[in-house]
Amino acid sequence: MQSKNLKWYLLIVLACIWGSSFILMKRGLEGLTAFQMGSLRIIFCALFLLIVGFKSLKTIPLGKWKYIAATALTGTFLPVYLFSIAQTEINSSVSAILNSLVPLNTLVIGALVFGLQFQRRQYFGVVIGLIGSILLVYNGAADNPGQNYYFALFVVLATICYATNVNLIKKYLSDLTPLSITVGNFVVMLVPALIVLFCSGFSDVMVKPEAQTAMMYIAILGILGTGIANIVFFRLIQMSSPVFASSVTYLIPIVACIWGLMDNESLSLAQGFGALVILIGVYFSARK
């Protein structure tokens, strides 16, 4: 019973942290480019994790490092840049709503690649979720002609990466501690992130006040929204199931939309309907 309650507590905490990440990304983009923000997010998080969890690297068997690298790529490295690029054109609240596709993609990838059972009801959930996504993006493009809603595809690609990551962790890394997985991920990503940052022209803007303010937001995002959140997420996957863990995206849009409304963002009634359709699809796909 305690384990059952704990997984729900972790789910709510994770939703609050990740739901707040989208407004932090929006603030970061006010002084940095997408690639600078993504790289700094990884670097800040990596430095924090190396301080608190360097010793945990000893617990990772040599044969597991290929899976650590795969989960680093799909779970953080690619999504960090994909979300950063997407939010240069679309609202943070819309980005968070599209992130709700993670459980749907977790189910599809789990069934097609990892051999998970795929029930008919869950199939309809996937179709409903896709319809909701199309409605959300289509109406968003119509209501915001100044924004390029093709950039929403970057969020969709990120959700596919996240879904792959969840299944990889459940199948290959369940015997490792959440801290060792997280620290291992960021050790793998640190050098590539430094290279991307060096090539992004960061040295030309780092002294600007707006860039330094943005870096403060990204430091919070990297340490809390990426490092600590990943540890909690990996623990949630291990103590529950990939689909339950990815259902955190039920709650993320609620938190993100509250932040968005406080920041003068808005969703039209048609977009709200699209968001509701997505969540209905997620509900059906996540039911056993």
Side-chain angles (χ1 to χ4, degrees):
M1 181 63 70
Q2 288 181 345
S3 177
K4 184 177 181 180
N5 290 335
L6 179 60
K7 72 179 184 181
W8 284 103
Y9 294 143
L10 293 179
L11 191 74
I12 293 170
V13 169
L14 201 55
C16 291
I17 294 174
W18 274 343
S20 302
S21 296
F22 296 90
I23 193 67
L24 290 171
M25 283 189 275
K26 183 177 181 178
R27 289 288 176 265
L29 287 169
E30 291 175 357
L32 299 166
T33 68
F35 286 101
Q36 289 166 355
M37 184 178 75
S39 297
L40 287 169
R41 181 177 179 180
I42 293 171
I43 293 165
F44 282 132
C45 182
L47 295 176
F48 165 74
L49 289 172
L50 285 171
I51 292 171
V52 301
F54 180 76
K55 292 182 179 179
S56 66
L57 294 174
K58 298 178 183 178
T59 65
I60 303 176
L62 187 61
K64 293 284 187 179
W65 276 100
K66 60 189 175 195
Y67 301 118
I68 292 291
T71 55
L73 181 69
T74 58
T76 302
F77 192 79
L78 290 178
V80 157
Y81 293 111
L82 290 170
F83 271 105
S84 298
I85 294 169
Q87 282 197 210
T88 61
E89 288 290 338
I90 63 176
N91 288 337
S92 62
S93 52
V94 172
S95 183
I97 293 168
L98 287 173
N99 190 54
S100 298
L101 292 172
V102 172
L104 305 181
N105 288 329
T106 299
L107 179 67
V108 172
I109 292 173
L112 297 179
V113 181
F114 294 91
L116 295 181
Q117 293 185 346
F118 201 123
Q119 299 178 9
R120 180 177 296 181
R121 177 180 60 251
Q122 293 174 314
Y123 169 78
F124 285 121
V126 171
V127 173
I128 291 169
L130 290 175
I131 292 171
S133 301
I134 292 170
L135 289 172
L136 178 68
V137 172
Y138 176 80
N139 289 301
D143 295 335
N144 300 280
Q147 297 179 2
N148 186 347
Y149 263 71
Y150 283 111
F151 277 62
L153 293 175
F154 288 108
V155 178
V156 176
L157 288 175
T159 65
I160 294 172
C161 289
Y162 282 147
T164 302
N165 175 57
V166 171
N167 283 291
L168 285 170
I169 292 169
K170 188 65 177 180
K171 185 167 184 177
Y172 297 112
L173 299 176
S174 287
D175 55 332
L176 299 182
T177 66
L179 180 61
S180 65
I181 297 171
T182 308
V183 178
N185 280 172
F186 281 87
V187 166
V188 170
M189 291 186 287
L190 180 56
V191 173
L194 286 168
I195 293 172
V196 174
L197 184 65
F198 177 78
C199 296
S200 69
F202 177 65
S203 59
D204 297 330
V205 300
M206 60 184 295
V207 296
K208 296 181 179 180
E210 59 269 26
Q212 293 175 357
T213 301
M215 288 171 63
M216 178 187 68
Y217 288 112
I218 301 309
I220 297 171
L221 177 62
I223 294 171
L224 181 62
T226 306
I228 295 175
N230 275 5
I231 295 172
V232 174
F233 185 55
F234 294 159
R235 174 59 178 150
L236 189 60
I237 293 171
Q238 291 176 338
M239 69 186 301
S240 59
S241 69
V243 173
F244 179 85
S246 61
S247 67
V248 66
T249 50
Y250 279 121
L251 306 175
I252 288 174
I254 298 173
V255 178
C257 285
I258 291 172
W259 280 113
L261 291 172
M262 291 172 62
D263 199 49
N264 297 318
E265 291 184 5
S266 62
L267 286 175
S268 67
L269 185 61
Q271 284 181 290
F273 177 72
L276 178 61
V277 172
I278 290 175
L279 294 178
I280 291 172
V282 173
Y283 170 75
F284 280 110
S285 70
R287 286 182 62 194
K288 294 184 178 180

